[in-house]
């Protein structure tokens, strides 16, 4: 239940990240330093206000939210303690992610990786120290994450203050213009809703998986761990294409946007094709890294070998949607995700399992990737995203 509440919080962060990347990448491409400075101030003020509001509201409404979600009474106290600590750190979580997205918008994807690595190392060190060393249990886990992100945020601020070569103008607090607030929210809100849509769809799929018993649940869990790792290159390619396309859209260099799309698709085919081959060949030993039960391993291997055939189509969605997102067409991306999850993936998974049993889970999900990529291709080719204007 705590995870459900945190997903809503992370949806806000993800929405702001997508808005940050697109806005500043376009302004960077246009070379509009005055607007970069103005939007930097607007983002800072808006994020500070919203983060504090969400943090305060979440802190005092944690228990009613948990009751609303039918949380078992036996775990309400611990879930409340964990969530309240997490809500205290909302501002630092948002700021840490905002600076990373800001640097990516200006073409620096390496430094944000160091920030993430710093936060991960700090979490790994602080978690056992607070949980076991100071006997703080679940509160220790929450404080470890918040302290790690806070320290990473403070270090990122220190980094920006000493690196004028990032291309960012000196920060100057200004009153946000109504047009700036509208632009930010116009991008952030649908991006945040998109994450909630994705999480809800995954929850429905998991419910379907649970109906097939323990072996399938364990096998699916192991497969998902590998799945999540292998999808990281596709996600990274999508983010890179997003920033590069947005910069060139801002500079009105549409021929380069088309070139970025083609190269991104080529990289996706090669990289995801290689991962698909590796997974297809070595699925069994990889699954056995996480589980050993024969029935669970058999399902996990079958699932991965089936879904691996569709990896290039998943990557294609990330590439084309990244380009479209670079234009600021966030509502359109939200619509494509609703189609992908709720009109394709969920119905197809249920339909395929009704015909083929547990094997149908991977088939339904995989076929939905294929069909949703056709929708992405169609919108990229014929949609109106090229006419989107963020700044008037």
């Amino acid at each position: 239940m705590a995870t459900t509440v945190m997903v809503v919080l992370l949806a806000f962060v993800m929405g702001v990240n997508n808005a940050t990347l697109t806005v500043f990448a376009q302004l960077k491409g246009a070379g509009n330093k005055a607007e970069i400075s103005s939007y930097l101030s607007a983002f800072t003020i808006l994020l500070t206000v919203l983060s504090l509001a969400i943090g305060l509201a979440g802190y005092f409404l944690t228990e009613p939210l948990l009751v609303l979600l039918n949380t078992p009474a036996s775990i309400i106290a611990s879930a409340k303690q964990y969530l309240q600590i997490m809500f205290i750190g909302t501002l630092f979580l948002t700021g840490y992610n905002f600076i990373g997205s800001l640097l990516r918008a200006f073409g620096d994807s390496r430094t944000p990786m160091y920030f993430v690595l710093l936060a991960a190392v700090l979490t790994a060190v602080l978690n056992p120290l607070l949980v076991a060393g100071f006997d703080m249990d679940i509160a220790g886990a929450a404080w470890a994450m918040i302290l790690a992100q806070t320290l990473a945020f403070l270090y990122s601020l220190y980094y920006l203050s000493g690196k004028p070569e990032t291309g960012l103008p000196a920060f100057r607090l200004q009153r946000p213009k109504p047009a700036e607030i509208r632009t930010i929210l116009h991008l952030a809100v649908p991006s945040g809703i998109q994450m909630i849509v994705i999480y809800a769809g995954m929850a429905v799929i998991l419910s379907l998986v649970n109906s097939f018993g323990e072996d399938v649940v364990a096998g699916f869990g192991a497969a998902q761990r590998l799945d999540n790792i292998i999808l990281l290159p596709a996600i990274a390619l999508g983010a890179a294409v997003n920033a590069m396309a947005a910069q060139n859209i801002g500079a009105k260099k549409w021929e380069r946007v088309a070139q970025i799309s083609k190269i991104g698709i080529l990289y996706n085919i090669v990289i995801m094709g290689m991962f698909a081959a590796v997974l297809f060949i070595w699925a069994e030993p990889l699954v056995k890294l996480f589980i050993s039960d024969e029935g669970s391993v058999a399902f996990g291997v079958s699932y991965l070998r089936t879904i691996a055939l569709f990896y290039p189509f998943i990557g294609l969605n990330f590439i084309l949607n990244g380009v479209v997102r670079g234009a600021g067409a966030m509502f359109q991306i939200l619509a494509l995700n609703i189609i992908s999850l709720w009109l394709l993936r969920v119905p197809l998974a249920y339909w395929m399992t009704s015909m083929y049993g547990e094997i149908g889970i991977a088939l339904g999900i995989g076929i939905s990737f294929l069909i949703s990529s056709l929708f992405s291709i169609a919108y990229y080719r014929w949609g109106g995203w090229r006419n989107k204007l963020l700044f008037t």
Side-chain angles (χ1 to χ4, degrees):
M1 295 304 173
T3 303
T4 304
V5 178
M6 287 309 301
V7 162
V8 178
L9 172 60
L10 290 173
F12 159 72
V13 174
M14 183 66 71
V16 171
N17 283 348
N18 286 332
T20 301
L21 191 61
T22 297
V23 166
F24 286 104
Q26 282 206 22
L27 290 174
K28 169 77 162 90
N32 195 332
K33 293 184 179 180
E35 284 293 287
I36 290 173
S37 178
S38 185
Y39 266 95
L40 187 57
S41 177
F43 265 100
T44 301
I45 293 171
L46 183 62
L47 284 180
T48 301
V49 171
L50 288 179
S51 297
L52 291 175
I54 290 174
L56 285 171
Y59 184 88
F60 290 108
L61 295 175
T62 295
E63 189 166 349
L65 284 171
L66 291 171
V67 172
L68 184 65
L69 291 169
N70 294 319
T71 306
S74 59
I75 64 170
I76 279 187
S78 57
K80 177 183 176 181
Q81 185 182 31
Y82 178 86
L83 283 173
Q84 284 186 327
I85 295 169
M86 294 301 294
F87 277 119
I88 289 172
T90 303
L91 179 63
F92 305 107
L93 170 65
T94 306
Y96 156 71
N97 282 277
F98 169 68
I99 293 175
S101 296
L102 188 62
L103 289 171
R104 291 186 190 97
F106 278 76
D108 182 1
S109 59
R110 184 176 297 176
T111 304
M113 180 186 70
Y114 295 146
F115 297 158
V116 172
L117 182 61
L118 174 62
V121 170
L122 287 171
T123 301
V125 172
L126 291 171
N127 209 326
L129 178 65
L130 298 179
V131 173
F134 287 87
D135 197 25
M136 295 175 67
D137 294 327
I138 193 168
W143 278 117
M145 186 177 296
I146 292 302
L147 288 172
Q149 289 170 347
T150 300
L151 291 171
F153 171 58
L154 293 175
Y155 174 72
S156 66
L157 287 177
Y158 170 76
Y159 174 87
L160 287 181
S161 67
K163 296 284 183 177
E165 63 269 24
T166 57
L168 285 166
F171 180 75
R172 184 167 62 88
L173 198 62
Q174 307 171 51
R175 178 181 294 179
K177 301 170 187 174
E180 293 170 345
I181 299 299
R182 283 197 301 270
T183 299
I184 294 169
L185 293 179
H186 184 73
L187 298 177
V189 170
S191 295
I193 294 173
Q194 175 187 324
M195 186 171 177
I196 295 173
V197 166
I198 292 171
Y199 176 77
M202 290 169 58
V204 173
I205 293 293
L206 187 58
S207 175
L208 173 64
V209 171
N210 289 341
S211 68
F212 284 94
E214 293 181 2
D215 285 350
V216 172
V217 171
F220 185 80
Q224 283 295 289
R225 291 183 185 182
L226 292 165
D227 206 31
N228 291 337
I229 294 170
I230 288 169
L231 286 180
L232 288 176
I235 296 170
L237 277 172
V241 164
N242 185 179
M244 294 172 68
Q247 285 189 8
N248 284 281
I249 290 169
K252 309 298 182 186
K253 296 180 178 179
W254 289 100
E255 71 286 349
R256 293 189 66 180
V257 175
Q259 188 179 10
I260 289 165
S261 303
K262 291 175 183 177
I263 294 174
I265 291 170
L266 179 61
Y267 278 159
N268 163 68
I269 292 172
V270 172
I271 294 172
M272 297 310 292
M274 289 172 55
F275 275 111
V278 168
L279 200 59
F280 193 88
I281 296 169
W282 287 291
E284 185 170 347
L286 288 170
V287 169
K288 284 183 175 179
L289 292 173
F290 302 100
I291 52 176
S292 57
D293 179 77
E294 186 176 339
S296 300
V297 169
F299 174 79
V301 170
S302 172
Y303 176 89
L304 285 175
R305 285 179 173 162
T306 302
I307 208 72
L309 301 174
F310 299 93
Y311 276 148
F313 301 108
I314 307 173
L316 187 60
N317 280 326
F318 280 115
I319 298 298
L320 295 180
N321 290 351
V323 175
V324 172
R325 191 178 286 114
M330 302 300 186
F331 278 103
Q332 291 83 344
I333 297 298
L334 172 60
L336 287 171
N337 274 281
I338 290 173
I339 291 170
S340 175
L341 276 158
W342 292 101
L343 299 185
L344 293 173
R345 193 176 312 173
V346 171
L348 282 170
Y350 273 88
W351 183 34
M352 289 294 166
T353 54
S354 69
M355 292 192 295
Y356 303 111
E358 62 194 40
I359 299 173
I361 297 172
L363 275 175
I365 294 173
I367 292 170
S368 76
F369 291 148
L370 169 59
I371 299 174
S372 64
S373 70
L374 298 178
F375 277 93
S376 294
I377 291 170
Y379 184 74
Y380 174 84
R381 179 67 181 82
W382 295 291
W385 60 276
R386 293 174 182 83
N387 301 319
K388 182 76 176 175
L389 291 175
L390 284 187
F391 316 107
T392 55

